[in-house]
Short mmCIF file of all heavy atoms in Angstrom, two decimals:
data_model
loop_
_atom_site.label_atom_id
_atom_site.label_comp_id
_atom_site.label_asym_id
_atom_site.label_seq_id
_atom_site.Cartn_x
_atom_site.Cartn_y
_atom_site.Cartn_z
N HIS B 394 0.18 11.15 -47.58
CA HIS B 394 -0.85 10.91 -46.57
C HIS B 394 -1.64 9.67 -46.91
O HIS B 394 -2.04 8.92 -46.03
CB HIS B 394 -1.76 12.13 -46.47
CG HIS B 394 -1.13 13.27 -45.75
ND1 HIS B 394 -1.81 14.19 -45.05
CD2 HIS B 394 0.18 13.60 -45.61
CE1 HIS B 394 -0.98 15.07 -44.52
NE2 HIS B 394 0.24 14.73 -44.86
N ALA B 395 -1.86 9.44 -48.22
CA ALA B 395 -2.67 8.29 -48.63
C ALA B 395 -1.93 6.98 -48.43
O ALA B 395 -2.52 5.94 -48.15
CB ALA B 395 -3.08 8.44 -50.09
N SER B 396 -0.61 7.02 -48.53
CA SER B 396 0.13 5.76 -48.59
C SER B 396 0.83 5.40 -47.29
O SER B 396 1.51 4.42 -47.23
CB SER B 396 1.21 5.88 -49.68
OG SER B 396 2.15 6.85 -49.29
N ARG B 397 0.66 6.19 -46.25
CA ARG B 397 1.47 5.95 -45.07
C ARG B 397 1.19 4.56 -44.50
O ARG B 397 0.04 4.18 -44.26
CB ARG B 397 1.25 7.03 -44.02
CG ARG B 397 -0.15 7.14 -43.51
CD ARG B 397 -0.22 8.22 -42.43
NE ARG B 397 -1.52 8.25 -41.82
CZ ARG B 397 -2.49 9.03 -42.23
NH1 ARG B 397 -2.30 9.85 -43.23
NH2 ARG B 397 -3.67 9.00 -41.62
N PRO B 398 2.24 3.78 -44.28
CA PRO B 398 2.08 2.38 -43.92
C PRO B 398 1.88 2.16 -42.42
O PRO B 398 1.44 1.11 -42.02
CB PRO B 398 3.39 1.75 -44.38
CG PRO B 398 4.38 2.87 -44.28
CD PRO B 398 3.63 4.15 -44.50
N SER B 399 2.17 3.10 -41.60
CA SER B 399 2.07 2.85 -40.15
C SER B 399 2.07 4.17 -39.43
O SER B 399 2.33 5.22 -40.01
CB SER B 399 3.28 2.03 -39.66
OG SER B 399 4.34 2.88 -39.34
N ARG B 400 1.77 4.10 -38.17
CA ARG B 400 1.74 5.29 -37.34
C ARG B 400 3.09 6.01 -37.31
O ARG B 400 3.17 7.20 -37.11
CB ARG B 400 1.35 4.90 -35.91
CG ARG B 400 1.23 6.05 -34.95
CD ARG B 400 0.66 5.57 -33.63
NE ARG B 400 -0.55 4.77 -33.88
CZ ARG B 400 -1.13 4.03 -32.94
NH1 ARG B 400 -0.61 3.96 -31.76
NH2 ARG B 400 -2.21 3.34 -33.22
N HIS B 401 4.17 5.26 -37.52
CA HIS B 401 5.49 5.89 -37.47
C HIS B 401 5.62 6.98 -38.52
O HIS B 401 6.46 7.85 -38.43
CB HIS B 401 6.59 4.85 -37.69
CG HIS B 401 6.72 3.92 -36.54
ND1 HIS B 401 7.13 4.32 -35.30
CD2 HIS B 401 6.47 2.60 -36.44
CE1 HIS B 401 7.16 3.29 -34.48
NE2 HIS B 401 6.76 2.23 -35.14
N LEU B 402 4.79 6.89 -39.55
CA LEU B 402 4.90 7.87 -40.61
C LEU B 402 3.78 8.90 -40.61
O LEU B 402 3.71 9.73 -41.48
CB LEU B 402 4.94 7.16 -41.96
CG LEU B 402 6.32 6.65 -42.36
CD1 LEU B 402 6.24 5.91 -43.66
CD2 LEU B 402 7.30 7.82 -42.48
N GLN B 403 2.86 8.78 -39.66
CA GLN B 403 1.78 9.75 -39.65
C GLN B 403 2.30 11.14 -39.35
O GLN B 403 3.00 11.35 -38.37
CB GLN B 403 0.73 9.38 -38.60
CG GLN B 403 -0.17 8.25 -39.05
CD GLN B 403 -1.08 7.82 -37.94
OE1 GLN B 403 -1.39 8.61 -37.07
NE2 GLN B 403 -1.49 6.57 -37.96
N PRO B 404 1.95 12.10 -40.17
CA PRO B 404 2.41 13.45 -39.89
C PRO B 404 1.70 14.02 -38.66
O PRO B 404 0.58 13.62 -38.34
CB PRO B 404 2.03 14.22 -41.15
CG PRO B 404 0.96 13.43 -41.81
CD PRO B 404 1.10 12.01 -41.35
N GLY B 405 2.38 14.90 -37.95
CA GLY B 405 1.79 15.55 -36.79
C GLY B 405 0.67 16.47 -37.20
O GLY B 405 0.51 16.79 -38.37
N ASP B 406 -0.12 16.90 -36.25
CA ASP B 406 -1.28 17.72 -36.58
C ASP B 406 -0.91 19.15 -36.94
O ASP B 406 -1.42 19.73 -37.88
CB ASP B 406 -2.30 17.68 -35.46
CG ASP B 406 -1.69 17.70 -34.10
OD1 ASP B 406 -0.44 17.73 -34.02
OD2 ASP B 406 -2.41 17.71 -33.12
N GLU B 407 0.00 19.72 -36.19
CA GLU B 407 0.29 21.13 -36.42
C GLU B 407 1.79 21.42 -36.49
O GLU B 407 2.21 22.34 -37.13
CB GLU B 407 -0.27 21.97 -35.27
CG GLU B 407 -1.76 22.05 -35.23
CD GLU B 407 -2.17 22.74 -33.95
OE1 GLU B 407 -1.30 23.11 -33.15
OE2 GLU B 407 -3.37 22.93 -33.77
N CYS B 408 2.52 20.61 -35.74
CA CYS B 408 3.90 20.96 -35.48
C CYS B 408 4.79 20.63 -36.67
O CYS B 408 4.60 19.64 -37.36
CB CYS B 408 4.34 20.19 -34.26
SG CYS B 408 6.09 20.13 -34.06
N LEU B 409 5.76 21.48 -36.90
CA LEU B 409 6.67 21.30 -38.02
C LEU B 409 8.03 20.83 -37.56
O LEU B 409 8.57 21.31 -36.57
CB LEU B 409 6.86 22.64 -38.74
CG LEU B 409 5.62 23.39 -39.16
CD1 LEU B 409 6.02 24.63 -39.91
CD2 LEU B 409 4.78 22.48 -40.03
N GLN B 410 8.61 19.91 -38.26
CA GLN B 410 10.02 19.66 -38.08
C GLN B 410 10.59 19.12 -39.36
O GLN B 410 10.25 18.02 -39.80
CB GLN B 410 10.32 18.69 -36.95
CG GLN B 410 11.82 18.57 -36.79
CD GLN B 410 12.22 17.40 -35.97
OE1 GLN B 410 11.41 16.80 -35.33
NE2 GLN B 410 13.48 17.04 -36.02
N LEU B 411 11.48 19.85 -39.93
CA LEU B 411 11.95 19.50 -41.26
C LEU B 411 13.36 18.99 -41.29
O LEU B 411 13.79 18.43 -42.27
CB LEU B 411 11.85 20.74 -42.17
CG LEU B 411 10.46 21.31 -42.27
CD1 LEU B 411 10.47 22.55 -43.13
CD2 LEU B 411 9.52 20.27 -42.83
N PHE B 412 14.11 19.19 -40.21
CA PHE B 412 15.55 19.04 -40.34
C PHE B 412 16.13 17.86 -39.59
O PHE B 412 17.27 17.91 -39.15
CB PHE B 412 16.23 20.34 -39.91
CG PHE B 412 15.72 21.49 -40.69
CD1 PHE B 412 14.82 22.37 -40.15
CD2 PHE B 412 16.11 21.68 -42.01
CE1 PHE B 412 14.34 23.44 -40.88
CE2 PHE B 412 15.62 22.73 -42.75
CZ PHE B 412 14.73 23.61 -42.20
N GLY B 413 15.37 16.81 -39.41
CA GLY B 413 15.93 15.65 -38.76
C GLY B 413 15.80 15.77 -37.26
O GLY B 413 14.94 16.47 -36.74
N GLY B 414 16.66 15.08 -36.55
CA GLY B 414 16.48 14.97 -35.12
C GLY B 414 15.64 13.74 -34.88
O GLY B 414 14.97 13.23 -35.78
N TYR B 415 15.67 13.22 -33.65
CA TYR B 415 15.01 11.95 -33.37
C TYR B 415 13.51 11.96 -33.67
O TYR B 415 12.90 10.94 -33.83
CB TYR B 415 15.22 11.57 -31.93
CG TYR B 415 16.60 11.14 -31.61
CD1 TYR B 415 17.01 11.02 -30.29
CD2 TYR B 415 17.52 10.83 -32.61
CE1 TYR B 415 18.29 10.62 -29.98
CE2 TYR B 415 18.80 10.44 -32.30
CZ TYR B 415 19.18 10.33 -30.98
OH TYR B 415 20.45 9.94 -30.67
N CYS B 416 12.90 13.14 -33.64
CA CYS B 416 11.45 13.16 -33.80
C CYS B 416 11.07 13.59 -35.21
O CYS B 416 10.06 14.21 -35.45
CB CYS B 416 10.81 14.08 -32.76
SG CYS B 416 11.46 15.74 -32.70
N TYR B 417 11.87 13.19 -36.15
CA TYR B 417 11.76 13.76 -37.48
C TYR B 417 10.46 13.51 -38.21
O TYR B 417 9.89 14.41 -38.80
CB TYR B 417 12.90 13.27 -38.37
CG TYR B 417 12.91 11.79 -38.59
CD1 TYR B 417 12.50 11.26 -39.80
CD2 TYR B 417 13.32 10.94 -37.59
CE1 TYR B 417 12.51 9.90 -40.00
CE2 TYR B 417 13.33 9.59 -37.78
CZ TYR B 417 12.93 9.07 -38.97
OH TYR B 417 12.92 7.75 -39.15
N MET B 418 9.96 12.27 -38.20
CA MET B 418 8.93 11.95 -39.17
C MET B 418 7.55 12.49 -38.81
O MET B 418 6.84 13.03 -39.63
CB MET B 418 8.84 10.46 -39.36
CG MET B 418 9.95 9.97 -40.28
SD MET B 418 9.77 8.24 -40.61
CE MET B 418 10.99 8.01 -41.89
N MET B 419 7.19 12.33 -37.55
CA MET B 419 5.88 12.78 -37.11
C MET B 419 5.68 14.27 -37.34
O MET B 419 4.57 14.73 -37.55
CB MET B 419 5.72 12.46 -35.62
CG MET B 419 4.38 12.79 -35.03
SD MET B 419 3.06 11.77 -35.71
CE MET B 419 3.05 10.39 -34.55
N GLU B 420 6.74 15.01 -37.30
CA GLU B 420 6.66 16.46 -37.30
C GLU B 420 6.82 17.03 -38.70
O GLU B 420 7.46 18.03 -38.91
CB GLU B 420 7.75 17.04 -36.39
CG GLU B 420 7.94 16.31 -35.08
CD GLU B 420 6.77 16.48 -34.14
OE1 GLU B 420 5.76 17.05 -34.55
OE2 GLU B 420 6.87 16.04 -33.00
N CYS B 421 6.24 16.39 -39.70
CA CYS B 421 6.57 16.78 -41.06
C CYS B 421 5.35 16.87 -41.96
O CYS B 421 5.22 16.12 -42.93
CB CYS B 421 7.56 15.76 -41.61
SG CYS B 421 8.38 16.33 -43.08
N PRO B 422 4.45 17.81 -41.68
CA PRO B 422 3.23 17.87 -42.49
C PRO B 422 3.45 18.55 -43.83
O PRO B 422 2.60 18.48 -44.69
CB PRO B 422 2.28 18.67 -41.63
CG PRO B 422 3.17 19.55 -40.82
CD PRO B 422 4.44 18.79 -40.61
N LEU B 423 4.54 19.22 -44.00
CA LEU B 423 4.78 19.90 -45.28
C LEU B 423 5.11 18.87 -46.36
O LEU B 423 5.52 17.76 -46.06
CB LEU B 423 5.92 20.90 -45.13
CG LEU B 423 5.59 22.09 -44.23
CD1 LEU B 423 6.73 23.07 -44.24
CD2 LEU B 423 4.32 22.77 -44.71
N PRO B 424 4.95 19.26 -47.59
CA PRO B 424 5.21 18.32 -48.69
C PRO B 424 6.61 17.71 -48.56
O PRO B 424 7.59 18.43 -48.38
CB PRO B 424 5.13 19.21 -49.92
CG PRO B 424 4.27 20.34 -49.52
CD PRO B 424 4.50 20.55 -48.06
N ARG B 425 6.66 16.40 -48.66
CA ARG B 425 7.92 15.71 -48.48
C ARG B 425 8.97 16.20 -49.47
O ARG B 425 10.13 16.38 -49.12
CB ARG B 425 7.74 14.20 -48.68
CG ARG B 425 7.07 13.50 -47.53
CD ARG B 425 7.89 13.52 -46.28
NE ARG B 425 9.11 12.71 -46.43
CZ ARG B 425 9.86 12.35 -45.41
NH1 ARG B 425 9.55 12.71 -44.19
NH2 ARG B 425 10.94 11.64 -45.59
N ARG B 426 8.59 16.34 -50.73
CA ARG B 426 9.62 16.65 -51.72
C ARG B 426 10.31 17.97 -51.38
O ARG B 426 11.52 18.08 -51.42
CB ARG B 426 9.02 16.72 -53.12
CG ARG B 426 8.56 15.34 -53.51
CD ARG B 426 8.24 15.20 -54.94
NE ARG B 426 7.46 13.98 -55.11
CZ ARG B 426 6.83 13.68 -56.22
NH1 ARG B 426 6.88 14.49 -57.25
NH2 ARG B 426 6.15 12.55 -56.31
N ARG B 427 9.49 18.93 -51.02
CA ARG B 427 10.06 20.21 -50.64
C ARG B 427 10.94 20.05 -49.40
O ARG B 427 12.07 20.54 -49.35
CB ARG B 427 8.94 21.21 -50.34
CG ARG B 427 9.48 22.56 -49.96
CD ARG B 427 8.38 23.58 -49.77
NE ARG B 427 8.96 24.81 -49.30
CZ ARG B 427 9.39 25.77 -50.11
NH1 ARG B 427 9.28 25.64 -51.41
NH2 ARG B 427 9.95 26.87 -49.63
N ALA B 428 10.41 19.31 -48.42
CA ALA B 428 11.15 19.11 -47.17
C ALA B 428 12.47 18.41 -47.47
O ALA B 428 13.53 18.81 -46.98
CB ALA B 428 10.31 18.30 -46.20
N ASP B 429 12.40 17.38 -48.28
CA ASP B 429 13.62 16.64 -48.58
C ASP B 429 14.64 17.56 -49.25
O ASP B 429 15.84 17.51 -48.96
CB ASP B 429 13.31 15.47 -49.51
CG ASP B 429 12.42 14.47 -48.79
OD1 ASP B 429 12.34 14.54 -47.54
OD2 ASP B 429 11.80 13.63 -49.46
N ALA B 430 14.14 18.37 -50.14
CA ALA B 430 15.04 19.30 -50.81
C ALA B 430 15.74 20.19 -49.79
O ALA B 430 16.95 20.39 -49.82
CB ALA B 430 14.24 20.17 -51.79
N ARG B 431 14.97 20.67 -48.84
CA ARG B 431 15.56 21.52 -47.81
C ARG B 431 16.62 20.78 -47.02
O ARG B 431 17.68 21.31 -46.74
CB ARG B 431 14.48 22.00 -46.82
CG ARG B 431 13.68 23.19 -47.30
CD ARG B 431 13.16 23.98 -46.11
NE ARG B 431 14.26 24.63 -45.41
CZ ARG B 431 14.84 25.72 -45.86
NH1 ARG B 431 14.47 26.29 -46.96
NH2 ARG B 431 15.84 26.26 -45.17
N VAL B 432 16.29 19.54 -46.64
CA VAL B 432 17.27 18.77 -45.86
C VAL B 432 18.58 18.71 -46.62
O VAL B 432 19.65 18.93 -46.08
CB VAL B 432 16.74 17.35 -45.57
CG1 VAL B 432 17.85 16.49 -45.01
CG2 VAL B 432 15.57 17.42 -44.60
#
Side-chain angles (χ1 to χ4, degrees):
Chain B
H394 285 208
S396 65
R397 61 178 186 267
S399 87
R400 182 172 310 168
H401 290 295
L402 277 177
Q403 283 174 27
D406 39 359
E407 290 172 359
C408 164
L409 307 183
Q410 183 195 347
L411 302 178
F412 304 103
Y415 288 167
C416 54
Y417 63 105
M418 281 185 171
M419 184 66 91
E420 317 292 7
C421 195
L423 292 185
R425 285 294 293 193
R426 293 193 196 169
R427 181 176 175 89
D429 295 343
R431 278 207 69 77
V432 169

